[in-house]
Structures are given as structure tokens and as C-alpha cells.
Amino acid sequence: MTGIRTVLGDIDDFDGAAYAHEHLILDSPLIADRFPHIHLHDVDAAVDEVARCRAAGAGLMVDAMPISAGRDAVRLAEISRRTGVHIVSATGLHHDRYYGPLHWTNRVGPDELTALFVADLLEGIDEFDYTGPIVRRTEHRAGLVKVATSGEDPDARDLRNIEAAAAASAATGAPVLTHCEGGVGGIAQVERLVAAGVPATSIILSHVDKAANLAYLRDLAATGAVLELDQSLRERADGTSSVTVRAVLALVEAGFADQIVLGTDGARRTLWSALGGEPGLAWLASDLPAVLQEAGVGAADLHRIQHSNAQRALAWRTV
Ligand SMILES: [Zn+2]
């Protein structure tokens, strides 16, 4: 397999813009209880929101929720079917706040995790999302491995998860999508993933514009990894007062236009038009391109940033 693995099958390419870090379903008892502002459970609402993105030019979305933290492959497949937008699901583990100290994921070793990640990637995601003793694999497979770290330097849990994610990626050729807490920690992530056999071009570093540090972004890009910028929807700032727009300009100017992808990280219910919020996830495809062009990003670079870079970064490697 050398294409992109979506919940409805493998594809080589897609039409339109990629949304590289999204949250369409986030439905766990822990999220409902502790993080109700990001509790996303309604397929009809998601279909409404994603259809608006489709109308604005979206063609593919990465749903960035991994194992046992609110993911639902069956609902993602239904959203994809009903909207025509390709959806890539994640395996791997998220930040510890979505699990808690007593969770089973904190009581197993890297090899046990790797086996679960690989089964998600190659066989099919568990209908119950590894939340109980019964595993019933669906036909919907994960298309990448998610890994999160919690700050500048990875802690013991982070290191175990990086080891497991890297092993699953090295065994299958699937790309890795990372969560950078507060935007930081990306350099350590790339160093460790690359040392464990994942090529930098197969690593997508999320939320890195949150750090609002252009020198750090250039250092990250110099590793060869792909940078996912996703603060623009929250900011909705004009032109170069936006940290995301400034980040894109700085990276393009430094010769890294091939390593930028965009997302919304739009988990907050208040960002969804379908839930009465604003500006709506469609903003990324409908409004941001004009903002970037006005700021000086050329049409060819814009196409790379919206489409080609994600198409390349999400493609599996031959292993
Ligand atoms: Zn996220």
C-alpha cells in the first residue's frame, strides 16, 4: 500500500483541500463529563458541518482522535459516506488527560500497544474502540498513528508512546501525526521518531503555530518534517496579525512551502456552524486562502499548502 488509507478504503489522491487535523467525533464518558465543550457525538451535526466544508472546497479530513479517547470509526465512515469527504482515522494514543492514571493504556508496555496500533492499521478498528473486553474489528482501518507529548521534553509515558508509534509506523509504512502540547516539543518528537525508523517526511507535527515562535518553526522544518498549522480558525485575525499567516509566510520565505499543511483542530462546539457557533469549519477552505494570498502567498504555494503536501505526507511508505 502506497496511497492514503481512509475509513472507506485506500486512495491515491483526492479533490480539493485537505483538513489535516480535525475532530468530528469525540465521544467518551470522560469527555462528556470533564470536557463538555468539546463533546462531539452527533453524526447528523457532523454531516452538516462537513458538508459545508465540502461545499467550500474540502476533499479530505484527518480525524485526529486515537484509541479509547472518543474515537468512533463506524460514525466516521457514515460521515464520510454521507458527505463525500474522505476521512482518515487515527490509531495511537493521545495526551494522558483523555485517559487518566488508572486507564488500561497506562498499564501496558510498548510492544502491547504496537500490536494494537498495527491491528487498527492493517485489520480494522475495533467497533468498541478498545474500551471493553470484546474486540469486534470493523472494515474501517486507521490511516496514521497519533502520538502526543506533554511539553518540551517527553516524560516516561510519552517515550513509551513514541516507541510504540514508531514501531507501528516502521512496520506498516503508515505516517505519524503528533500532538505538540502548546505547540512545543516538536524537535524532540522528530529526533526520537527518526531514530526509531520513521522518515521525517512521514511525520506531521500538529499545533506548532500555537508556540508563536518563527525561529522554532524554521528549526522544525529544517528536520524535514511536515508542519500542521491550525490556529487560524480561532484567531480569525486579519492578514499578518494572525500568527498562522505569519508562520506560513516565514516558512514559505525560508523555502519550506513543501512542508506546510493546514487544519482547524476544530473540536470546540463553539466553532461549528452546525451547532450555532462560528466561524464554522468551512472557514479554512472558504476564507483563509484569500487571506494568505493577500498576505503574499502565491497560487502555486497555496495549492501545495492546501493539497499536495498533505497528499504526500499522508501516503504510506513501502516497507
Ligand atoms: Zn487535536
Side-chain angles (χ1 to χ4, degrees):
M1 221 289 275
T2 52
I4 301 167
R5 176 150 289 172
T6 80
V7 288
L8 295 183
D10 298 341
I11 58 173
D12 288 323
D13 205 349
F14 53 93
D15 293 327
Y19 276 52
H21 188 122
E22 307 310 310
H23 292 287
L24 303 176
I25 295 292
L26 283 180
D27 193 12
S28 74
L30 184 150
I31 285 174
D33 180 49
R34 283 190 227 163
F35 309 114
H37 61 294
I38 62 165
H39 185 207
L40 299 167
H41 51 84
D42 186 346
V43 169
D44 290 337
V47 167
D48 183 351
E49 194 69 25
V50 174
R52 294 171 198 238
C53 299
R54 179 71 181 146
L60 177 143
M61 292 185 176
V62 174
D63 185 277
M65 215 53 178
I67 286 176
S68 288
R71 175 182 68 165
D72 188 323
V74 174
R75 278 185 269 178
L76 291 179
E78 184 183 344
I79 296 163
S80 180
R81 243 185 246 113
R82 286 171 59 186
T83 59
V85 171
H86 297 291
I87 296 178
V88 176
S89 182
T91 187
L93 293 179
H94 208 319
H95 192 279
D96 196 35
R97 66 175 160 273
Y98 298 107
Y99 303 93
L102 296 178
H103 198 269
W104 67 261
T105 53
N106 281 325
R107 304 162 76 167
V108 296
D111 295 349
E112 291 165 296
L113 287 175
T114 301
L116 294 176
F117 298 171
V118 169
D120 272 359
L121 292 161
L122 299 184
E123 295 172 40
I125 295 170
D126 175 25
E127 181 182 332
F128 308 112
D129 200 26
Y130 298 140
T131 58
I134 309 293
V135 172
R136 186 186 293 161
R137 296 207 178 274
T138 66
E139 60 185 347
H140 313 300
R141 294 181 289 187
L144 54 77
V145 189
K146 174 89 176 270
V147 67
T149 55
S150 45
E152 290 283 1
D153 298 310
D155 64 17
R157 179 181 182 277
D158 298 339
L159 290 172
R160 180 205 58 170
N161 294 350
I162 290 172
E163 183 182 340
S169 173
T172 60
V176 175
L177 177 79
T178 80
H179 166 94
C180 296
E181 182 77 2
V184 306
I187 298 284
Q189 290 177 350
V190 177
E191 281 174 0
R192 291 180 185 273
L193 287 166
V194 167
V198 183
T201 49
S202 240
I203 302 169
I204 304 169
L205 304 163
S206 299
H207 321 312
V208 289
D209 46 341
K210 215 176 224 178
N213 178 341
L214 299 181
Y216 164 67
L217 294 183
R218 282 187 289 261
D219 288 346
L220 281 179
T223 67
V226 177
L227 278 57
E228 191 270 334
L229 310 177
D230 55 26
Q231 298 305 300
S232 65
L233 199 78
R234 286 170 171 70
E235 300 179 313
R236 296 198 297 286
D238 281 341
T240 49
S241 57
S242 154
V243 65
T244 304
V245 174
R246 281 207 307 276
V248 170
L249 288 173
L251 289 166
V252 168
E253 194 174 313
F256 297 120
D258 285 337
Q259 290 168 244
I260 307 166
V261 298
L262 302 173
T264 74
D265 192 23
R268 272 168 212 278
R269 295 174 62 86
T270 51
L271 292 171
W272 283 37
S273 296
L275 298 172
E278 57 182 29
L281 304 189
W283 188 90
L284 191 79
S286 62
D287 288 47
L288 184 61
V291 175
L292 289 170
Q293 278 187 306
E294 265 168 47
V297 178
D301 283 339
L302 190 61
H303 182 72
R304 291 184 181 98
I305 292 166
Q306 286 198 285
H307 177 88
S308 320
N309 296 344
Q311 192 249 338
R312 202 171 49 248
L314 293 170
W316 287 33
R317 313 177 303 278
T318 308
V319 291

